[in-house]
Amino acid sequence: MATATRTPTEAPLPSRAPAPRPPRSALAVRVRRAVRYLGPNWYATVMGTAILASAGAELTGRLPGLRPWWVAIWSLSLVVLVLLAAARFLHWRHHRDRALVHLDDPATAPFYGCLSMALLAVGGGAVGVGRDVLGEGVAVGLGLLLFVVGTAVGLVVAVGVPYRLIVGRGAVRVTPVWLLVVVAPVVSAATGPLFVPHLPAGAGETLLFGSFALLGVGLLGTLVLLPSVFAGLVADGPPAPALTPTLFLVLGPLGQSTTALGRLADAAPAVTGPGLADGFGVLAVLYGVPVMGFALLWLALATALVVRARRRGMRFSMTWWAFTFPVGTCVTGAAALADRTGWGAYEVVAALLGAGLAAAWTVVAARTVLELAHGRLLAPPR
């Protein structure tokens, strides 16, 4: 009997092991770990930087020779926005568990409003300051894009975050941080009029009245929340030292709504009849004067409570960025009233607040860079 022979072509093929995955670079691993605890509150760095540039531009005529500095500050805000957006994308991709925890946390979820306001602050600054480096056409295009996206995000946050917290958590104590949910539409209302002169008449009129409607969304939401914020202070006393800077957030809707009405009044004559244009001008003064007065009162109260907290051991944290954007809105609000009323007192208020804003941003930005370099700001929460 012949023995069967196996030809070489019939030899069994060796099993192919899967190709080894290329090792991750040490830098990629470090970046992935670093963004695990990067929350939406970090967009406050963009807001505070962009408002410094915009407020400085408002005061350019009062402080000549500083415009190149404001252009550099705005450019920095754009760079930080791009870097943060990339880092937050990595956070959602690799640490979705933490991102979902942030959405369900009443102390963190309202900070998603900061994303909207960061986009809007940089977009508005593109028209007022960024055109010096981008050119007017590119600056207006970029600003409009950021305005549309920021406004859409702000409206989603204004509805989605309260709904998710109310349904998921039941009773939640209202703190000043909750104002971040509703103030974004007010920022949209203050940004939209900047683009009216660059649009056709019909589109400009639509944007003007749309911005006015957004002002109502944010302002009425603020009026609903403010009594609860003040009642909480009276009933429970001052917040913990680390959270005391959040009291400055109350200034945001006050200063920004004053700014918004001033800009709406400036843009109205180009797209409406003289009657409506005059009405916007009168409303800007009748609303802005008393609201700015209350803003200065609240600024004094919040400053006193911050000094008290500092004496009781308040250390640096990301809440210190509340000393920047809200104060900046009061700078632009006071400047708008100075231009519309001609009253010199508002010139003084705008200049003093602007100096305070610049000092606060310098300190907070420097401390942020220092703490970030030491790895303390992105460390796991304790």
Side-chain angles (χ1 to χ4, degrees), residues 281-308:
V282 171
L283 181 59
V285 174
L286 293 182
Y287 172 89
V289 171
V291 168
M292 186 55 61
F294 179 73
L296 294 176
L297 174 67
W298 188 272
L299 175 62
L301 174 63
T303 301
L305 290 172
V306 166
V307 171
R308 175 183 180 275

Side-chain angles (χ1 to χ4, degrees), residues 153-320:
V153 171
L155 291 175
V156 170
V157 169
V159 176
V161 170
Y163 175 83
R164 188 177 179 92
L165 294 180
I166 291 171
V167 172
R169 296 294 299 265
V172 177
R173 180 187 174 187
V174 176
T175 67
V177 172
W178 268 67
L179 292 170
L180 295 171
V181 177
V182 297
V183 74
V186 184
V187 181
S188 293
T191 306
L194 298 175
F195 301 103
V196 170
H198 303 280
L199 298 175
E205 185 179 15
T206 300
L207 180 55
L208 181 76
F209 287 106
S211 298
F212 197 34
L214 289 168
L215 177 62
V217 171
L219 187 57
L220 293 177
T222 299
L223 293 178
V224 170
L225 292 176
L226 270 183
S228 298
V229 171
F230 187 74
L233 289 175
V234 173
D236 303 327
L243 298 178
T244 302
T246 62
L247 294 174
F248 274 69
L249 296 177
V250 175
L251 299 174
L254 303 176
Q256 197 69 297
S257 58
T258 303
T259 303
L261 280 172
R263 291 176 178 174
L264 287 167
D266 292 338
V271 293
T272 65
L276 280 176
D278 292 342
F280 274 113
V282 171
L283 181 59
V285 174
L286 293 182
Y287 172 89
V289 171
V291 168
M292 186 55 61
F294 179 73
L296 294 176
L297 174 67
W298 188 272
L299 175 62
L301 174 63
T303 301
L305 290 172
V306 166
V307 171
R308 175 183 180 275
R310 185 66 172 165
R311 291 175 176 172
R312 284 163 172 76
M314 182 185 77
R315 297 182 178 180
F316 175 79
S317 67
M318 289 299 291
T319 59
W320 282 33

